[in-house]
Amino acid sequence: MTTTRHVTRLATVLTGAAVLSFSLAAQARELSVSTVLPDAFPWGQAAEKWADLVEERTDGELTLRVYPNSQLVSGDQTREFSAMRSGLIDAAVGSTINWSPQVPELNLFSLPFFMPDEAAVDAVTGGQAGEMVFEAIESRDVIPLAWGENGFRQLSNSQGPIDEPTDLEGLKIRVVGSPLFQDTFDALGADPTQMSWADAKPALTSGAVDGQENPLSVFDVARIDQVGQEHLTLWNYMNDPLIFAVNRQVWESLDEAQQTILRETAIEAGEWEIAMTREQESERLAAIQERGVEVTELSDDQLQAFVEATRNVHDDWIAQIGESLVEAAQADIESR
């Protein structure tokens, strides 16, 4: 009789444990997070940091699974926002450049020579213009949570130093799939060639394109100098903030506590990544120079020549971006 009761109790305990285990498993939820670059780059590290913080703060109740290399959109980074908007992707740490075809307001950050330094970028993302950009994203059924940073984009090529617009004449430069980039390099006399990042390095290796533009972190980690890019011009012609965001339906399916954690951890991961990216800039530049890359730093007069050469591009794109947004950004910059 005692043995029977013992077995019965044991079965009850095991059943209860199984039910509890099933209940916890049912409560746990995994969200997909898309990024273009893996965690060898600050961009990918930002997404991984976000995932780590979310898992820690929710005790695993909510987890983020990071999918780098744009694998959720078959390598086409310009489709990332559309996929998130439609629900094929739950969340992303994405580039303002890559999302700009679907959110024209994001072209603000790609206006040539509009934001002169990091303080200007911070003034815009943290000011009225930043709020307006987030409102534009949210109006398209994606909830923006925080800012990160891919950095100022620099110009490299395999043909020779570039310190004036005429040096770009006829050079085939790989650019992302954004009409604003096409217009900018057309104005400089180059031959812009649109292709995804997945195709860029092979094209540089084969000589199908002469140059490319990317932040120092990408140039350094991807070892772009190994594919003939022996000349680098520091011109800070545009900045590429990153945005942490979530599909609206996914966001609304979360409870208030989960939403708070997701937003707070995104902000924390973004601040961490921005600081890290900026702190590493001088170290990366030194490493690039040590590998034999010729670095050209423009004087104020040389930089102004590029500004003048692209002024019409700036003026033409204001209407597409939104005059009120550009004016708000200008006011933010002037108030920094």
Side-chain angles (χ1 to χ4, degrees):
M1 188 72 165
T2 302
T3 301
T4 301
R5 280 199 298 269
H6 178 73
V7 171
T8 301
R9 287 197 194 102
L10 179 60
T12 301
V13 169
L14 291 175
T15 300
V19 170
L20 177 61
S21 175
F22 177 80
S23 176
L24 291 174
Q27 292 175 7
R29 184 173 180 186
E30 179 181 281
L31 304 182
S32 61
V33 180
S34 175
T35 68
V36 171
L37 296 177
D39 61 7
F41 301 83
W43 187 342
Q45 291 165 19
E48 293 290 351
K49 180 73 169 180
W50 189 23
D52 290 344
L53 289 172
V54 168
E55 184 168 13
E56 175 188 320
R57 305 281 167 83
T58 65
D59 292 325
E61 178 184 320
L62 183 65
T63 59
L64 306 182
R65 183 176 179 184
V66 179
Y67 292 84
N69 301 314
S70 305
Q71 59 185 285
L72 296 179
V73 285
S74 302
D76 185 354
Q77 59 211 58
T78 60
R79 290 174 48 213
E80 185 177 68
F81 186 86
S82 295
M84 178 168 48
R85 184 179 186 181
S86 67
L88 294 176
I89 294 173
D90 295 326
V93 180
S95 157
T96 56
I97 300 170
N98 293 334
W99 294 1
S100 63
Q102 291 79 42
V103 188
E105 292 86 349
L106 292 176
N107 285 296
L108 173 71
F109 299 97
S110 298
L111 278 176
F113 306 103
F114 183 60
M115 299 182 192
D117 50 35
E118 291 167 348
V121 176
D122 292 344
V124 171
T125 57
Q128 181 185 359
E131 293 177 3
M132 293 170 70
V133 167
F134 269 23
E135 289 171 1
I137 294 172
E138 190 164 348
S139 72
R140 292 166 173 86
D141 293 327
V142 171
I143 308 301
L145 304 178
W147 296 97
E149 183 165 279
N150 198 24
F152 279 102
R153 297 174 79 89
Q154 316 299 356
L155 177 66
S156 74
N157 83 100
S158 60
Q159 302 302 309
I162 293 174
D163 58 20
E164 58 183 32
T166 56
D167 293 331
L168 271 162
E169 289 183 3
L171 290 186
K172 291 184 178 180
I173 305 296
R174 175 267 172 180
V175 297
V176 295
S178 164
L180 178 47
F181 282 70
Q182 185 85 28
D183 289 352
T184 297
F185 281 90
D186 277 340
L188 292 169
D191 180 8
T193 304
Q194 294 184 5
M195 61 179 63
S196 70
W197 178 242
D199 296 329
K201 203 167 183 182
L204 292 167
T205 302
S206 68
V209 293
D210 300 308
Q212 61 85 52
E213 46 77 57
N214 255 309
L216 288 182
S217 61
V218 175
F219 189 99
D220 182 30
V221 177
R223 297 301 298 268
I224 297 178
D225 51 286
Q226 292 184 341
V227 291
Q229 298 296 286
E230 300 173 350
H231 307 278
L232 178 67
T233 297
L234 304 181
W235 64 343
N236 284 13
Y237 87 114
M238 56 83 58
N239 191 280
D240 181 25
L242 303 177
I243 298 175
F244 295 69
V246 183
N247 165 274
R248 179 184 290 279
Q249 289 186 333
V250 170
W251 177 257
E252 293 178 349
S253 71
L254 301 173
D255 61 38
E256 186 175 347
Q258 291 173 323
Q259 289 178 350
T260 298
I261 289 174
L262 206 58
R263 187 185 299 276
E264 289 180 347
T265 53
I267 292 171
E268 186 174 334
E271 291 175 344
W272 171 84
E273 188 264 344
I274 290 170
M276 174 185 65
T277 300
R278 293 178 180 179
E279 288 170 1
Q280 293 176 345
E281 283 284 281
S282 59
E283 181 181 334
R284 291 193 187 283
L285 181 59
I288 291 167
Q289 289 177 302
E290 287 175 5
R291 296 200 295 266
V293 176
E294 181 181 1
V295 176
T296 298
E297 297 191 50
L298 302 179
S299 67
D300 290 344
D301 288 343
Q302 288 172 326
L303 181 63
Q304 189 59 33
F306 285 96
V307 173
E308 293 298 330
T310 56
R311 189 172 300 281
N312 287 341
V313 177
H314 180 280
D315 295 342
D316 291 344
W317 273 83
I318 288 178
Q320 299 183 56
I321 295 168
E323 188 172 348
S324 60
L325 175 57
V326 176
E327 289 176 352
Q330 187 65 59
D332 289 336
I333 293 171
E334 290 173 356
S335 67
R336 72 190 191 280

